[in-house]
Amino acid sequence: MKYADLSMNVLLLLPALFLSAISGAIAGDTRSVSEPVVPQSCQVLKANGAADSTNYIQDALNTCASGKAVYLTAATGSGVFYSGPLKLPSGVSLRVDKGATLLAIANPSLFDTGNHTCGTLDDTGKGCNPFIQIKNSSSSGIYGPGSIDGQGNATMTGKSQSWWQLATAAKNKNTKQNAPHLIQIDNSKNITLYQITLKNGPNFHVASNNSNGLTLWGITIATPATARNTDGFDPMGSQNVTLIHSRISTGDDNVAIKAGNASSAHISILDNHFGTGHGMSIGSEINQGVSDVTVNSLTLSGTTNALRIKSDSSRGGKVTDVTYENICMQNVKNPIVLDTRYDSVATGSLIPEYRDITFRNLNVLTAGTFTFMGYSASKPLSLRLDNVHISKGSVWHKQYAIIQGKAVEDGVGRCDN
């Protein structure tokens, strides 16, 4: 696979350690991915200060010609569009221009799926429609450089708490919160997110399911570390995915590749920066298998976990052919976590298997805990360490793991941001 304009800014952290550059052909996404081009406008909408612009925006999307985009632009005195849930028709895109913000109205009734559970706690957590839905679509997209704000920190209409406070209550009561995803992509192909800033998601920011061909280029996700269940990007049961030149700080997984209902494969995570969050994750649902994943040129700063594969016997499967290469991290509690017993009390026959996992050209600048936990002697981990440098004082946990190579305790330098 070839990528245009693949920056090396965060790659060459220490010349002596990172001599290899990203080659022209990289495993992962099988497409030829280049920088997206913003579609021409079919209609330009100006912020009008209205309390609810849902119909204003949706009507424009519904009448937009395929291959074009509705532009949201700031007007004198206002740059905010307040909206309830929106749907992008196939072939139609949305652009939020500089100075404009698309703001989700924090009213659970607008997002409710019909059972009047959105904004409440229950055992399913499936009571809300997403803020922006892309479903059964082809060649749609969301473009910046403006912002989309999910208002996860705003008190919900008719409630005494915010979406994030609802998520905290769910954790305390061992149940699930009904809160909308910011952007949900289902059963779609060739979808693009470009130079858009996403923030304050009530729940996951970008989630895909059973989709093929996703490009996230130059996006920013910015949500506080304390906001529970606010994953940055979750490609689930999806193929041919590229996340490139992006920055993600959030309150849960920065990225979580999942395969609960369908396999995920051919995924490239290239030239990105992760701040707060739970790291570059695979799992925990991997029932249908995850394969052919490349994570190249990644900087992590202040992330709870860095490179993590997590599952257990209730949702396990095979994770194979994963390469982490040219990675720098600092102030990370758990630099590498390969855990087949994510839920220590889980029971079932879906045993996780992690094989052909490679860590190459890693520089870990601060001490942390490394965990390599295979399932059993007959189901061990299989991985390789190649030019891995870690900080002195690190803790190493290993069980049922076959490790080729070794880590050297001389990680020094800095990670460029």
Side-chain angles (χ1 to χ4, degrees), residues 62-104:
N62 291 345
T63 57
C64 187
S66 180
K68 295 192 175 182
V70 172
Y71 281 24
L72 305 185
T73 63
T76 302
S78 178
V80 176
F81 292 81
Y82 297 92
S83 180
L86 298 167
K87 296 181 179 180
L88 292 192
S90 185
V92 174
S93 296
L94 178 68
R95 183 182 185 185
V96 185
D97 282 336
K98 183 178 180 180
T101 298
L102 177 60
L103 202 71

Side-chain angles (χ1 to χ4, degrees), residues 103-151:
L103 202 71
I105 300 172
N107 185 344
S109 65
L110 297 177
F111 297 89
D112 196 85
T113 57
N115 293 322
H116 307 292
T117 58
C118 190
T120 69
L121 304 177
D122 64 15
D123 295 328
T124 67
K126 297 180 180 180
C128 302
N129 289 309
F131 181 36
I132 300 178
Q133 183 178 68
I134 304 174
K135 185 175 183 179
N136 300 322
S137 294
S138 177
S139 303
S140 297
I142 300 173
Y143 297 81
S147 300
I148 297 175
D149 189 333
Q151 288 215 97

